[in-house]
Amino acid sequence: CWVCLVCWVCLGVGVFLMATPIIGFVAGEQFLLASTIGTFMGYFANSVMVLRILVFATGIIFISNIFNSAAVAIGKQKSLVLPNVIFALANVALNLVLIPKFSYVGAAIATVVTEFLVLLVTWKIVYKNLPKLRIRFTYFLKALLATLVMALSMYWFRSLNLFLVIAIAVMVYSVVLYAVGGLEKEQIKMLFRK
């Protein structure tokens, strides 16, 4: 599902770069200065840090959902049950270990670690049953190039209103992605069909 990958690359980098104004808009300026643990690895541990960590979890979830769907499509959904139960328990254990020491940052890290393990197992299940499966990274590389140009535009316009920066970023990303062949006319039409 190229759409998931293309969307996440843009969304992930955009949220990572704009985490401060997003938190300021959603939760208020007071949340930019609030922290229960002070610093984490030398950085101020606030809600911006948590959002930046969790955006990686969303990317991992996007990709693992592709492999989950593939596993179901090839009839291997039963092989997903035990690993997911184990990962749910592992997530609880990680939270019990990390939250007392690192608070909400620990919970975010536990989520990323758990989702990464889910991705590895679902990929292994699919790859084991479809050994001839070839993953083409061309769409990813095109999305990455468009994202780099988008990130530069976001940096350039960072002092503008959050919504204006988002609108500019979406336009830049879309134009560059189309220009490098990451979006074809037929795919664009498909997105707008009912």
Side-chain angles (χ1 to χ4, degrees):
C1 177
W2 65 271
V3 175
C4 291
L5 195 56
V6 167
C7 287
W8 178 77
V9 171
C10 169
L11 185 67
V13 170
V15 169
F16 188 88
L17 292 175
M18 299 304 292
T20 300
I22 289 170
I23 293 294
F25 174 77
V26 172
E29 297 293 323
Q30 68 273 18
F31 278 89
L32 297 175
L33 304 174
S35 176
T36 60
I37 62 171
T39 61
F40 178 79
M41 298 181 74
Y43 294 95
F44 187 60
N46 61 359
S47 52
V48 172
M49 176 184 274
V50 172
L51 180 58
R52 287 180 171 156
I53 293 169
L54 288 176
V55 79
F56 287 104
T58 61
I60 294 167
I61 292 167
F62 268 117
I63 297 166
S64 67
N65 279 337
I66 296 168
F67 289 111
N68 271 318
S69 297
V72 170
I74 61 174
K76 294 296 179 184
Q77 59 270 24
K78 287 184 181 178
S79 61
L80 296 171
V81 174
L82 182 60
N84 280 306
V85 168
I86 291 170
F87 294 139
L89 295 173
N91 183 264
V92 170
L94 278 171
N95 279 313
L96 289 172
V97 170
L98 295 175
I99 289 174
K101 186 168 184 174
F102 302 115
S103 187
Y104 41 82
V105 175
I109 291 169
T111 300
V112 172
V113 168
T114 305
E115 292 301 336
F116 184 73
L117 293 173
V118 169
L119 171 62
L120 288 178
V121 168
T122 54
W123 172 79
K124 184 178 178 184
I125 290 168
V126 170
Y127 190 76
K128 179 180 172 186
N129 290 282
L130 295 172
K132 293 183 181 182
L133 176 70
R134 297 287 175 252
I135 299 172
R136 293 185 4 216
F137 289 98
T138 54
Y139 280 120
F140 178 74
L141 294 175
K142 291 173 183 181
L144 204 56
L145 177 61
T147 300
L148 178 61
V149 176
M150 178 200 74
L152 291 172
S153 75
M154 292 174 81
Y155 179 78
W156 183 263
F157 294 109
R158 70 187 179 276
S159 62
L160 298 177
N161 176 282
L162 172 64
F163 294 103
L164 188 56
V165 174
I166 291 170
I168 291 168
V170 168
M171 286 189 294
V172 167
Y173 182 78
S174 301
V175 168
V176 173
L177 190 61
Y178 181 76
V180 297
L183 275 178
E184 298 167 5
K185 287 181 183 178
E186 194 58 39
Q187 292 168 327
I188 295 169
K189 289 178 187 176
M190 185 178 69
L191 289 173
F192 293 103
R193 279 189 205 142
K194 289 185 178 182

